[in-house]
Amino acid sequence: MSLGIKASGQAKAADTVKGGVAPSVIRRLSLMGFLDSHPGLLGWFLAGPTFLLAVGIVFYPILYGLLVSFYDVHMLRAGVPKFAAMVQGLFGAKVEGLPKFLGLGNYLKVFTDRQLQRAIGASLILTSINVPLDLIFAMIVALVLNQDFPGRGIVRSVVILSWATPGVINAILWKLMLRSDGIVNGVLLGLHLIKEPVTWLFSTTWAFFWVIVANLWKGSPFSALILLAGMQTVPQELYEAAEIDGAGPWARFWNITLPHLRYPITLLVILGVIGGLTSFELLYILTGGGPANSTLVMAYYVFNHAIQWDNLGYSSALSFWLSGVVTIFGVLYWRLASRRDEE
Amino acid sequence: MSISASRRFLGVLTAIAVILILVFYLFPYWWVITTSFRTQDEERAQPWVFYPNPVHLDNYEAILFKNSFDIMTGLQNSLIVAAATTVICVLLGSLAGYAYARIRFPFRGLSIALILATWTIPWLLVMIPLWVILYDLKLIDTKQGLIIGFSSGFVPITTWIMLGHFKSLPTDLEDSARIDGCSRVGALFRVILPISTPAIMAAGAYAFISSMGEFMFSLITTTTTKSKTLPIVLASLVGKFVTEKTIMAAGTIIASIFPVVLVMIFQRYLIAGLSAGAVKG
């Protein structure tokens, strides 16, 4: 059998090589020879592992999560529910050890969940302050980097440095600086701007403020680089012509630069909204959701239900709600990005 | 306002902005780097001294040789997990990237679309059930569990980087290797991959950087120092006032040095990849 395959594989390969069979063809491994003559199998032989890893390990958990969302699951107390049992339970079968079937109960619970409404509020406040602030700040940085001045390369590198910092390190850095014996208090005391150390992260207003500052530190460089790339595609003649016509810097920015940046700005807004709605690690480390749950944003709330409060079913339903909203923005992003690629 | 006056005004404005930008972006790094070279007492001294004098290496010594607060254990776990993830992602991404760039096979379009679509799925939707599945398989608090999760998350982008690279290569080299008797897989390993070093490095850098900085999945799947990665170790230390700030500062530097240096080298390749990954949230 294997000999037959080997022979036919080589015969076919040999046919494609004009001018006779090279000697090394004879030594070729039988599997490789076989695959060469069957591109369909070769393709899956090469791409299959990646497909299984990337798609299998994403869609199976999602399907599992979907099943869990229809049940009242408390995994740490009652054990992990089995996939097959939950499918059977869906069709009304009585399986031992199956958690209580709730149907859409978990999905409907969101409308009466007071704490969730606060989490949504916190997410919306954070996103609606962060996105415009990030854009304005990034625009200033990009405009500066677009000027000709000595040491421009160094400034660019410094800006990239904070973008290159992993999100978790960003959170740890600010947490350290904001301790009551930290450097933020140290500098402000030294400048006599405050009289005694402030416990920044224990005040609702200040906690929000510093979350936004830390977000800006890590996020704005990326936005600035995207905007800068956009600015560099604006034809220089337009500025020269406008200057001859007597347009000042502000008029040039408003009438030439900004219209050219419509596309990157839209993308950054969409990305910012997605990032804002799903932000987790900065809040987890910096504020722990506090003070008094004021910074307990949506992703954090989902996380708490799953991990801290052992409420897996409800947490799954919540994450489907949240993901639905995020996916709308994700699809918007991809449609915009791919339309741009076609142009 | 005349043109020259307006230019001068812009110049002054730019100079002020440059200084403010530098202070804002550099200050946290200046503080953490200098603090990592101070002793406890120097760090507490008021008023704050702008640079450490003299420079102390005690914090690094305590971390590297005495394993204070398990920071060194965390670094080892991080490096092992990141290295394994990088090898898996680059190897599988290269094979798949080659297949999608050069070979026609059934469901080719559909399968690559599905692989790339996993980018747009919010991580939360995958992570928590994946955590449950790993819990069921007793893979919680193991490095293997982390490697599985990371590889699955990062392999689409390494595939995409390699796919783009293979598409840009001329087919001549491969053709001549095959005339000399190489199989397609042989030609891939002997001829194509050796000349693809820049793309492999970029894909590897992406996988490595992402692994070193990953937080949420590591947080839920690790429970002891057996598998806790450096970000998790540091995050659990940072809230506690018993931890010395100087040690934390040195730990933070150690945790950020690999990703930051790699990003600076590969920034051109990474901006595209990370902007796509940003959708994942």
Side-chain angles (χ1 to χ4, degrees), chain B residues 162-195:
Chain B
M162 295 313 292
L163 169 62
H165 164 74
F166 289 136
K167 267 193 176 161
S168 72
L169 279 185
T171 53
D172 310 2
L173 269 172
E174 202 185 328
D175 292 342
S176 59
R178 297 203 53 214
I179 289 168
D180 287 344
C182 262
S183 65
R184 289 198 86 145
V185 178
L188 173 63
F189 276 99
R190 288 193 207 126
V191 182
I192 301 172
L193 285 180
I195 59 164

PDB file of all heavy atoms in Angstrom, chain B residues 162-195:
ATOM      1  N   MET B 162       3.421  35.946   8.808  1.00  0.00           N
ATOM      2  CA  MET B 162       4.160  35.053   7.914  1.00  0.00           C
ATOM      3  C   MET B 162       3.483  34.972   6.547  1.00  0.00           C
ATOM      4  O   MET B 162       4.147  34.943   5.519  1.00  0.00           O
ATOM      5  CB  MET B 162       4.287  33.644   8.522  1.00  0.00           C
ATOM      6  CG  MET B 162       5.112  33.568   9.794  1.00  0.00           C
ATOM      7  SD  MET B 162       6.693  34.428   9.751  1.00  0.00           S
ATOM      8  CE  MET B 162       7.620  33.441   8.595  1.00  0.00           C
ATOM      9  N   LEU B 163       2.148  34.951   6.551  1.00  0.00           N
ATOM     10  CA  LEU B 163       1.395  34.904   5.288  1.00  0.00           C
ATOM     11  C   LEU B 163       1.740  36.109   4.413  1.00  0.00           C
ATOM     12  O   LEU B 163       2.032  35.963   3.214  1.00  0.00           O
ATOM     13  CB  LEU B 163      -0.107  34.873   5.612  1.00  0.00           C
ATOM     14  CG  LEU B 163      -1.131  35.076   4.500  1.00  0.00           C
ATOM     15  CD1 LEU B 163      -1.025  33.992   3.457  1.00  0.00           C
ATOM     16  CD2 LEU B 163      -2.534  35.081   5.085  1.00  0.00           C
ATOM     17  N   GLY B 164       1.734  37.282   5.022  1.00  0.00           N
ATOM     18  CA  GLY B 164       2.067  38.496   4.272  1.00  0.00           C
ATOM     19  C   GLY B 164       3.487  38.424   3.720  1.00  0.00           C
ATOM     20  O   GLY B 164       3.744  38.804   2.575  1.00  0.00           O
ATOM     21  N   HIS B 165       4.384  37.894   4.526  1.00  0.00           N
ATOM     22  CA  HIS B 165       5.778  37.796   4.103  1.00  0.00           C
ATOM     23  C   HIS B 165       5.935  36.815   2.934  1.00  0.00           C
ATOM     24  O   HIS B 165       6.580  37.128   1.937  1.00  0.00           O
ATOM     25  CB  HIS B 165       6.639  37.358   5.288  1.00  0.00           C
ATOM     26  CG  HIS B 165       7.989  36.874   4.889  1.00  0.00           C
ATOM     27  ND1 HIS B 165       8.988  37.731   4.477  1.00  0.00           N
ATOM     28  CD2 HIS B 165       8.494  35.625   4.777  1.00  0.00           C
ATOM     29  CE1 HIS B 165      10.053  37.021   4.156  1.00  0.00           C
ATOM     30  NE2 HIS B 165       9.774  35.735   4.333  1.00  0.00           N
ATOM     31  N   PHE B 166       5.341  35.633   3.051  1.00  0.00           N
ATOM     32  CA  PHE B 166       5.493  34.622   1.982  1.00  0.00           C
ATOM     33  C   PHE B 166       4.900  35.111   0.675  1.00  0.00           C
ATOM     34  O   PHE B 166       5.397  34.814  -0.402  1.00  0.00           O
ATOM     35  CB  PHE B 166       4.837  33.300   2.391  1.00  0.00           C
ATOM     36  CG  PHE B 166       5.582  32.572   3.469  1.00  0.00           C
ATOM     37  CD1 PHE B 166       4.912  31.995   4.536  1.00  0.00           C
ATOM     38  CD2 PHE B 166       6.971  32.468   3.423  1.00  0.00           C
ATOM     39  CE1 PHE B 166       5.604  31.339   5.539  1.00  0.00           C
ATOM     40  CE2 PHE B 166       7.678  31.805   4.421  1.00  0.00           C
ATOM     41  CZ  PHE B 166       6.981  31.242   5.483  1.00  0.00           C
ATOM     42  N   LYS B 167       3.807  35.875   0.771  1.00  0.00           N
ATOM     43  CA  LYS B 167       3.192  36.405  -0.450  1.00  0.00           C
ATOM     44  C   LYS B 167       4.143  37.343  -1.175  1.00  0.00           C
ATOM     45  O   LYS B 167       4.115  37.461  -2.393  1.00  0.00           O
ATOM     46  CB  LYS B 167       1.896  37.148  -0.106  1.00  0.00           C
ATOM     47  CG  LYS B 167       0.680  36.258  -0.207  1.00  0.00           C
ATOM     48  CD  LYS B 167      -0.563  37.101  -0.165  1.00  0.00           C
ATOM     49  CE  LYS B 167      -1.808  36.264  -0.355  1.00  0.00           C
ATOM     50  NZ  LYS B 167      -2.999  36.970   0.124  1.00  0.00           N
ATOM     51  N   SER B 168       4.990  38.050  -0.377  1.00  0.00           N
ATOM     52  CA  SER B 168       5.884  39.036  -0.987  1.00  0.00           C
ATOM     53  C   SER B 168       7.139  38.395  -1.576  1.00  0.00           C
ATOM     54  O   SER B 168       7.894  39.050  -2.286  1.00  0.00           O
ATOM     55  CB  SER B 168       6.294  40.077   0.062  1.00  0.00           C
ATOM     56  OG  SER B 168       7.193  39.494   0.967  1.00  0.00           O
ATOM     57  N   LEU B 169       7.386  37.099  -1.274  1.00  0.00           N
ATOM     58  CA  LEU B 169       8.589  36.440  -1.798  1.00  0.00           C
ATOM     59  C   LEU B 169       8.360  35.998  -3.245  1.00  0.00           C
ATOM     60  O   LEU B 169       7.293  35.514  -3.571  1.00  0.00           O
ATOM     61  CB  LEU B 169       8.910  35.194  -0.964  1.00  0.00           C
ATOM     62  CG  LEU B 169       9.636  35.351   0.356  1.00  0.00           C
ATOM     63  CD1 LEU B 169       9.937  33.976   0.923  1.00  0.00           C
ATOM     64  CD2 LEU B 169      10.921  36.134   0.191  1.00  0.00           C
ATOM     65  N   PRO B 170       9.376  36.138  -4.114  1.00  0.00           N
ATOM     66  CA  PRO B 170       9.238  35.603  -5.471  1.00  0.00           C
ATOM     67  C   PRO B 170       9.239  34.072  -5.432  1.00  0.00           C
ATOM     68  O   PRO B 170       9.862  33.470  -4.549  1.00  0.00           O
ATOM     69  CB  PRO B 170      10.484  36.130  -6.185  1.00  0.00           C
ATOM     70  CG  PRO B 170      11.454  36.456  -5.117  1.00  0.00           C
ATOM     71  CD  PRO B 170      10.660  36.809  -3.902  1.00  0.00           C
ATOM     72  N   THR B 171       8.553  33.443  -6.372  1.00  0.00           N
ATOM     73  CA  THR B 171       8.454  31.978  -6.355  1.00  0.00           C
ATOM     74  C   THR B 171       9.662  31.295  -6.993  1.00  0.00           C
ATOM     75  O   THR B 171       9.806  30.081  -6.898  1.00  0.00           O
ATOM     76  CB  THR B 171       7.186  31.506  -7.081  1.00  0.00           C
ATOM     77  OG1 THR B 171       7.180  32.103  -8.366  1.00  0.00           O
ATOM     78  CG2 THR B 171       5.938  31.859  -6.323  1.00  0.00           C
ATOM     79  N   ASP B 172      10.551  32.068  -7.617  1.00  0.00           N
ATOM     80  CA  ASP B 172      11.677  31.472  -8.365  1.00  0.00           C
ATOM     81  C   ASP B 172      12.532  30.522  -7.530  1.00  0.00           C
ATOM     82  O   ASP B 172      12.837  29.405  -7.937  1.00  0.00           O
ATOM     83  CB  ASP B 172      12.623  32.567  -8.909  1.00  0.00           C
ATOM     84  CG  ASP B 172      11.871  33.644  -9.648  1.00  0.00           C
ATOM     85  OD1 ASP B 172      10.627  33.533  -9.687  1.00  0.00           O
ATOM     86  OD2 ASP B 172      12.504  34.580 -10.152  1.00  0.00           O
ATOM     87  N   LEU B 173      12.887  31.007  -6.311  1.00  0.00           N
ATOM     88  CA  LEU B 173      13.784  30.222  -5.458  1.00  0.00           C
ATOM     89  C   LEU B 173      13.218  28.857  -5.166  1.00  0.00           C
ATOM     90  O   LEU B 173      13.891  27.830  -5.270  1.00  0.00           O
ATOM     91  CB  LEU B 173      13.950  30.956  -4.135  1.00  0.00           C
ATOM     92  CG  LEU B 173      15.105  31.925  -4.043  1.00  0.00           C
ATOM     93  CD1 LEU B 173      15.004  32.705  -2.756  1.00  0.00           C
ATOM     94  CD2 LEU B 173      16.410  31.163  -4.112  1.00  0.00           C
ATOM     95  N   GLU B 174      11.917  28.889  -4.778  1.00  0.00           N
ATOM     96  CA  GLU B 174      11.217  27.681  -4.418  1.00  0.00           C
ATOM     97  C   GLU B 174      11.173  26.736  -5.624  1.00  0.00           C
ATOM     98  O   GLU B 174      11.436  25.540  -5.505  1.00  0.00           O
ATOM     99  CB  GLU B 174       9.811  28.113  -4.058  1.00  0.00           C
ATOM    100  CG  GLU B 174       9.065  27.204  -3.196  1.00  0.00           C
ATOM    101  CD  GLU B 174       7.648  27.746  -3.058  1.00  0.00           C
ATOM    102  OE1 GLU B 174       7.465  28.978  -3.097  1.00  0.00           O
ATOM    103  OE2 GLU B 174       6.744  26.924  -2.943  1.00  0.00           O
ATOM    104  N   ASP B 175      10.891  27.315  -6.803  1.00  0.00           N
ATOM    105  CA  ASP B 175      10.797  26.500  -8.017  1.00  0.00           C
ATOM    106  C   ASP B 175      12.116  25.815  -8.305  1.00  0.00           C
ATOM    107  O   ASP B 175      12.155  24.628  -8.618  1.00  0.00           O
ATOM    108  CB  ASP B 175      10.383  27.369  -9.212  1.00  0.00           C
ATOM    109  CG  ASP B 175       8.960  27.866  -9.060  1.00  0.00           C
ATOM    110  OD1 ASP B 175       8.227  27.275  -8.244  1.00  0.00           O
ATOM    111  OD2 ASP B 175       8.587  28.842  -9.743  1.00  0.00           O
ATOM    112  N   SER B 176      13.222  26.565  -8.151  1.00  0.00           N
ATOM    113  CA  SER B 176      14.500  25.940  -8.482  1.00  0.00           C
ATOM    114  C   SER B 176      14.858  24.871  -7.452  1.00  0.00           C
ATOM    115  O   SER B 176      15.428  23.839  -7.800  1.00  0.00           O
ATOM    116  CB  SER B 176      15.607  26.982  -8.606  1.00  0.00           C
ATOM    117  OG  SER B 176      15.728  27.690  -7.410  1.00  0.00           O
ATOM    118  N   ALA B 177      14.479  25.078  -6.194  1.00  0.00           N
ATOM    119  CA  ALA B 177      14.727  24.050  -5.181  1.00  0.00           C
ATOM    120  C   ALA B 177      13.949  22.787  -5.518  1.00  0.00           C
ATOM    121  O   ALA B 177      14.435  21.672  -5.350  1.00  0.00           O
ATOM    122  CB  ALA B 177      14.338  24.553  -3.805  1.00  0.00           C
ATOM    123  N   ARG B 178      12.734  22.966  -6.029  1.00  0.00           N
ATOM    124  CA  ARG B 178      11.915  21.794  -6.318  1.00  0.00           C
ATOM    125  C   ARG B 178      12.432  21.066  -7.546  1.00  0.00           C
ATOM    126  O   ARG B 178      12.381  19.844  -7.620  1.00  0.00           O
ATOM    127  CB  ARG B 178      10.464  22.212  -6.493  1.00  0.00           C
ATOM    128  CG  ARG B 178       9.930  22.812  -5.186  1.00  0.00           C
ATOM    129  CD  ARG B 178       8.455  22.733  -5.090  1.00  0.00           C
ATOM    130  NE  ARG B 178       7.985  21.391  -5.301  1.00  0.00           N
ATOM    131  CZ  ARG B 178       6.835  21.109  -5.896  1.00  0.00           C
ATOM    132  NH1 ARG B 178       6.076  22.065  -6.332  1.00  0.00           N
ATOM    133  NH2 ARG B 178       6.469  19.847  -6.033  1.00  0.00           N
ATOM    134  N   ILE B 179      12.988  21.818  -8.510  1.00  0.00           N
ATOM    135  CA  ILE B 179      13.571  21.152  -9.677  1.00  0.00           C
ATOM    136  C   ILE B 179      14.774  20.329  -9.238  1.00  0.00           C
ATOM    137  O   ILE B 179      15.025  19.250  -9.742  1.00  0.00           O
ATOM    138  CB  ILE B 179      13.947  22.196 -10.752  1.00  0.00           C
ATOM    139  CG1 ILE B 179      12.661  22.750 -11.374  1.00  0.00           C
ATOM    140  CG2 ILE B 179      14.839  21.586 -11.828  1.00  0.00           C
ATOM    141  CD1 ILE B 179      12.842  23.968 -12.216  1.00  0.00           C
ATOM    142  N   ASP B 180      15.480  20.847  -8.207  1.00  0.00           N
ATOM    143  CA  ASP B 180      16.613  20.079  -7.679  1.00  0.00           C
ATOM    144  C   ASP B 180      16.169  18.900  -6.837  1.00  0.00           C
ATOM    145  O   ASP B 180      16.994  18.239  -6.213  1.00  0.00           O
ATOM    146  CB  ASP B 180      17.522  20.987  -6.834  1.00  0.00           C
ATOM    147  CG  ASP B 180      18.301  21.932  -7.710  1.00  0.00           C
ATOM    148  OD1 ASP B 180      18.359  21.666  -8.928  1.00  0.00           O
ATOM    149  OD2 ASP B 180      18.833  22.929  -7.192  1.00  0.00           O
ATOM    150  N   GLY B 181      14.890  18.660  -6.713  1.00  0.00           N
ATOM    151  CA  GLY B 181      14.431  17.448  -6.066  1.00  0.00           C
ATOM    152  C   GLY B 181      13.904  17.616  -4.660  1.00  0.00           C
ATOM    153  O   GLY B 181      13.638  16.639  -3.972  1.00  0.00           O
ATOM    154  N   CYS B 182      13.754  18.840  -4.197  1.00  0.00           N
ATOM    155  CA  CYS B 182      13.199  19.047  -2.868  1.00  0.00           C
ATOM    156  C   CYS B 182      11.678  18.856  -2.912  1.00  0.00           C
ATOM    157  O   CYS B 182      11.038  19.233  -3.891  1.00  0.00           O
ATOM    158  CB  CYS B 182      13.467  20.485  -2.406  1.00  0.00           C
ATOM    159  SG  CYS B 182      14.877  20.641  -1.340  1.00  0.00           S
ATOM    160  N   SER B 183      11.107  18.316  -1.821  1.00  0.00           N
ATOM    161  CA  SER B 183       9.650  18.329  -1.715  1.00  0.00           C
ATOM    162  C   SER B 183       9.250  19.745  -1.331  1.00  0.00           C
ATOM    163  O   SER B 183      10.097  20.569  -0.992  1.00  0.00           O
ATOM    164  CB  SER B 183       9.198  17.345  -0.642  1.00  0.00           C
ATOM    165  OG  SER B 183       9.656  17.789   0.616  1.00  0.00           O
ATOM    166  N   ARG B 184       7.936  20.030  -1.331  1.00  0.00           N
ATOM    167  CA  ARG B 184       7.504  21.388  -0.978  1.00  0.00           C
ATOM    168  C   ARG B 184       7.864  21.701   0.464  1.00  0.00           C
ATOM    169  O   ARG B 184       8.333  22.788   0.776  1.00  0.00           O
ATOM    170  CB  ARG B 184       5.990  21.527  -1.171  1.00  0.00           C
ATOM    171  CG  ARG B 184       5.598  21.532  -2.626  1.00  0.00           C
ATOM    172  CD  ARG B 184       4.217  22.093  -2.780  1.00  0.00           C
ATOM    173  NE  ARG B 184       4.276  23.545  -2.875  1.00  0.00           N
ATOM    174  CZ  ARG B 184       3.455  24.252  -3.634  1.00  0.00           C
ATOM    175  NH1 ARG B 184       2.515  23.665  -4.336  1.00  0.00           N
ATOM    176  NH2 ARG B 184       3.564  25.553  -3.686  1.00  0.00           N
ATOM    177  N   VAL B 185       7.636  20.738   1.356  1.00  0.00           N
ATOM    178  CA  VAL B 185       7.967  20.976   2.759  1.00  0.00           C
ATOM    179  C   VAL B 185       9.478  21.131   2.912  1.00  0.00           C
ATOM    180  O   VAL B 185       9.961  21.992   3.656  1.00  0.00           O
ATOM    181  CB  VAL B 185       7.431  19.828   3.652  1.00  0.00           C
ATOM    182  CG1 VAL B 185       7.816  20.058   5.103  1.00  0.00           C
ATOM    183  CG2 VAL B 185       5.923  19.714   3.504  1.00  0.00           C
ATOM    184  N   GLY B 186      10.236  20.297   2.149  1.00  0.00           N
ATOM    185  CA  GLY B 186      11.697  20.394   2.184  1.00  0.00           C
ATOM    186  C   GLY B 186      12.151  21.765   1.716  1.00  0.00           C
ATOM    187  O   GLY B 186      13.015  22.401   2.335  1.00  0.00           O
ATOM    188  N   ALA B 187      11.555  22.248   0.629  1.00  0.00           N
ATOM    189  CA  ALA B 187      11.928  23.565   0.101  1.00  0.00           C
ATOM    190  C   ALA B 187      11.598  24.656   1.109  1.00  0.00           C
ATOM    191  O   ALA B 187      12.353  25.608   1.289  1.00  0.00           O
ATOM    192  CB  ALA B 187      11.196  23.825  -1.206  1.00  0.00           C
ATOM    193  N   LEU B 188      10.458  24.479   1.818  1.00  0.00           N
ATOM    194  CA  LEU B 188      10.068  25.471   2.826  1.00  0.00           C
ATOM    195  C   LEU B 188      11.132  25.553   3.923  1.00  0.00           C
ATOM    196  O   LEU B 188      11.578  26.640   4.284  1.00  0.00           O
ATOM    197  CB  LEU B 188       8.715  25.077   3.426  1.00  0.00           C
ATOM    198  CG  LEU B 188       8.222  25.898   4.614  1.00  0.00           C
ATOM    199  CD1 LEU B 188       8.006  27.340   4.216  1.00  0.00           C
ATOM    200  CD2 LEU B 188       6.926  25.326   5.182  1.00  0.00           C
ATOM    201  N   PHE B 189      11.577  24.396   4.415  1.00  0.00           N
ATOM    202  CA  PHE B 189      12.525  24.395   5.529  1.00  0.00           C
ATOM    203  C   PHE B 189      13.953  24.729   5.093  1.00  0.00           C
ATOM    204  O   PHE B 189      14.684  25.378   5.818  1.00  0.00           O
ATOM    205  CB  PHE B 189      12.507  23.045   6.253  1.00  0.00           C
ATOM    206  CG  PHE B 189      11.411  22.965   7.277  1.00  0.00           C
ATOM    207  CD1 PHE B 189      10.221  22.320   6.984  1.00  0.00           C
ATOM    208  CD2 PHE B 189      11.563  23.571   8.510  1.00  0.00           C
ATOM    209  CE1 PHE B 189       9.201  22.267   7.914  1.00  0.00           C
ATOM    210  CE2 PHE B 189      10.548  23.518   9.449  1.00  0.00           C
ATOM    211  CZ  PHE B 189       9.358  22.868   9.155  1.00  0.00           C
ATOM    212  N   ARG B 190      14.358  24.252   3.863  1.00  0.00           N
ATOM    213  CA  ARG B 190      15.757  24.439   3.488  1.00  0.00           C
ATOM    214  C   ARG B 190      16.002  25.744   2.763  1.00  0.00           C
ATOM    215  O   ARG B 190      17.102  26.277   2.805  1.00  0.00           O
ATOM    216  CB  ARG B 190      16.198  23.283   2.586  1.00  0.00           C
ATOM    217  CG  ARG B 190      16.336  22.028   3.412  1.00  0.00           C
ATOM    218  CD  ARG B 190      17.064  20.936   2.685  1.00  0.00           C
ATOM    219  NE  ARG B 190      16.594  19.675   3.248  1.00  0.00           N
ATOM    220  CZ  ARG B 190      16.091  18.684   2.533  1.00  0.00           C
ATOM    221  NH1 ARG B 190      16.013  18.800   1.220  1.00  0.00           N
ATOM    222  NH2 ARG B 190      15.690  17.594   3.117  1.00  0.00           N
ATOM    223  N   VAL B 191      15.010  26.258   2.055  1.00  0.00           N
ATOM    224  CA  VAL B 191      15.261  27.433   1.211  1.00  0.00           C
ATOM    225  C   VAL B 191      14.488  28.655   1.677  1.00  0.00           C
ATOM    226  O   VAL B 191      15.044  29.736   1.842  1.00  0.00           O
ATOM    227  CB  VAL B 191      14.895  27.119  -0.264  1.00  0.00           C
ATOM    228  CG1 VAL B 191      15.203  28.316  -1.142  1.00  0.00           C
ATOM    229  CG2 VAL B 191      15.630  25.881  -0.735  1.00  0.00           C
ATOM    230  N   ILE B 192      13.188  28.472   1.929  1.00  0.00           N
ATOM    231  CA  ILE B 192      12.352  29.658   2.168  1.00  0.00           C
ATOM    232  C   ILE B 192      12.523  30.193   3.588  1.00  0.00           C
ATOM    233  O   ILE B 192      12.752  31.380   3.789  1.00  0.00           O
ATOM    234  CB  ILE B 192      10.874  29.334   1.875  1.00  0.00           C
ATOM    235  CG1 ILE B 192      10.765  28.881   0.425  1.00  0.00           C
ATOM    236  CG2 ILE B 192      10.007  30.551   2.113  1.00  0.00           C
ATOM    237  CD1 ILE B 192       9.427  28.358   0.066  1.00  0.00           C
ATOM    238  N   LEU B 193      12.418  29.325   4.595  1.00  0.00           N
ATOM    239  CA  LEU B 193      12.525  29.807   5.973  1.00  0.00           C
ATOM    240  C   LEU B 193      13.882  30.458   6.272  1.00  0.00           C
ATOM    241  O   LEU B 193      13.924  31.499   6.924  1.00  0.00           O
ATOM    242  CB  LEU B 193      12.213  28.696   6.972  1.00  0.00           C
ATOM    243  CG  LEU B 193      10.725  28.358   7.099  1.00  0.00           C
ATOM    244  CD1 LEU B 193      10.512  27.249   8.120  1.00  0.00           C
ATOM    245  CD2 LEU B 193       9.908  29.588   7.495  1.00  0.00           C
ATOM    246  N   PRO B 194      15.004  29.876   5.775  1.00  0.00           N
ATOM    247  CA  PRO B 194      16.294  30.532   6.070  1.00  0.00           C
ATOM    248  C   PRO B 194      16.392  31.964   5.554  1.00  0.00           C
ATOM    249  O   PRO B 194      17.102  32.770   6.147  1.00  0.00           O
ATOM    250  CB  PRO B 194      17.315  29.627   5.385  1.00  0.00           C
ATOM    251  CG  PRO B 194      16.664  28.292   5.354  1.00  0.00           C
ATOM    252  CD  PRO B 194      15.206  28.551   5.162  1.00  0.00           C
ATOM    253  N   ILE B 195      15.686  32.295   4.460  1.00  0.00           N
ATOM    254  CA  ILE B 195      15.764  33.690   3.990  1.00  0.00           C
ATOM    255  C   ILE B 195      14.635  34.542   4.573  1.00  0.00           C
ATOM    256  O   ILE B 195      14.454  35.690   4.207  1.00  0.00           O
ATOM    257  CB  ILE B 195      15.752  33.793   2.442  1.00  0.00           C
ATOM    258  CG1 ILE B 195      14.485  33.163   1.878  1.00  0.00           C
ATOM    259  CG2 ILE B 195      17.003  33.176   1.839  1.00  0.00           C
ATOM    260  CD1 ILE B 195      14.214  33.554   0.457  1.00  0.00           C
TER     261      ILE B 195
END
